[in-house]
Amino acid sequence: GTDKYIDYELKRTRATAIENAKAVAKVEVGKLSEQSNFDSSESRKELMSQIFHKRDEITKDVFSKVVKKVEAFTKSDDYSDFLEQSVKNIVEAIGDETVIYIREEDEKHIPRLSALCKEIKTDTSITLGGCKGVNSARSLRADDTLERRLEEQKKVFYATSGLSVTGG
């Protein structure tokens, strides 16, 4: 379903980015080792700074592309099904008394979603889409927003892209 679509798009974009990142990292490391004063502390700091900057550029580029795909997804017909499944999952996880929070742009989905939970409210902190749930009676929260999913993917991206940098 929709989760698979988002995961697929993220994985596809991440795979491309990883290949690009590895190529860039190889070139950058090659430049580093060619520098005759590589062993000096100041030079090493400067070079690490350049690599961090390049890593940030690559990451921003990858995730700006992913955000565009996610925004297109939220305008598709599949998004309504995604929201419905997300609400069901949250209510199942934290209970029937859950209040669901969606972004203002998703208010048109309230008629479809309102039968699935206690109440639906809008939350301006949700910018990309998805929803959050709060069950005050049980002091439980759940976050299935698309921005949270992207943040999780960013962690995976750093861990698997070959862009982690260590200053040896």
Side-chain angles (χ1 to χ4, degrees):
T2 309
D3 284 347
K4 287 183 182 156
Y5 170 81
I6 289 176
D7 289 343
Y8 170 76
E9 287 299 332
L10 285 168
K11 284 177 184 160
R12 200 169 65 126
T13 305
R14 185 172 62 224
T16 303
I18 287 169
E19 289 310 308
N20 292 343
K22 285 180 179 174
V24 169
K26 189 173 181 179
V27 168
E28 294 299 318
V29 170
K31 285 181 191 172
L32 291 179
S33 60
E34 288 170 13
Q35 301 232 349
S36 60
N37 59 353
F38 176 70
D39 288 331
S40 86
S41 179
E42 281 308 305
S43 179
R44 192 177 291 232
K45 284 180 192 170
E46 174 60 27
L47 293 168
M48 291 303 289
S49 173
Q50 289 172 14
I51 290 174
F52 280 121
H53 180 71
K54 183 60 85 177
R55 180 187 74 168
D56 290 344
E57 280 180 18
I58 292 167
T59 304
K60 282 179 188 165
D61 182 52
V62 168
F63 280 90
S64 71
K65 289 175 182 165
V66 173
V67 165
K68 285 184 174 84
K69 289 182 180 187
V70 169
E71 287 170 344
F73 167 69
T74 62
K75 292 173 176 60
S76 74
D77 294 337
D78 292 334
Y79 180 63
S80 185
D81 294 338
F82 166 79
L83 269 180
E84 181 179 324
Q85 189 58 54
S86 183
V87 169
K88 285 179 183 176
N89 292 344
I90 288 174
V91 170
E92 185 178 314
I94 66 173
D96 292 336
E97 295 300 306
T98 299
V99 176
I100 295 292
Y101 293 86
I102 60 174
R103 65 187 182 144
E104 291 175 344
E105 296 91 326
D106 292 336
E107 285 181 321
K108 63 183 176 247
H109 300 287
I110 289 176
R112 180 177 179 180
L113 303 175
S114 60
L116 305 173
C117 58
K118 177 184 174 185
E119 186 180 357
I120 298 179
K121 296 181 178 181
T122 58
D123 180 343
T124 56
S125 74
I126 302 172
T127 56
L128 283 178
C131 58
K132 295 178 184 178
V134 176
N135 184 333
S136 299
R138 295 174 62 193
S139 300
L140 295 173
R141 299 176 166 277
D143 185 340
D144 196 25
T145 58
L146 295 176
E147 40 270 84
R148 186 206 49 84
R149 286 178 177 224
L150 277 181
E151 281 306 310
E152 291 299 314
Q153 287 298 319
K154 205 175 274 190
K155 291 175 190 170
V156 172
F157 177 73
Y158 275 128
T160 61
S161 66
L163 288 177
S164 60
V165 178
T166 57

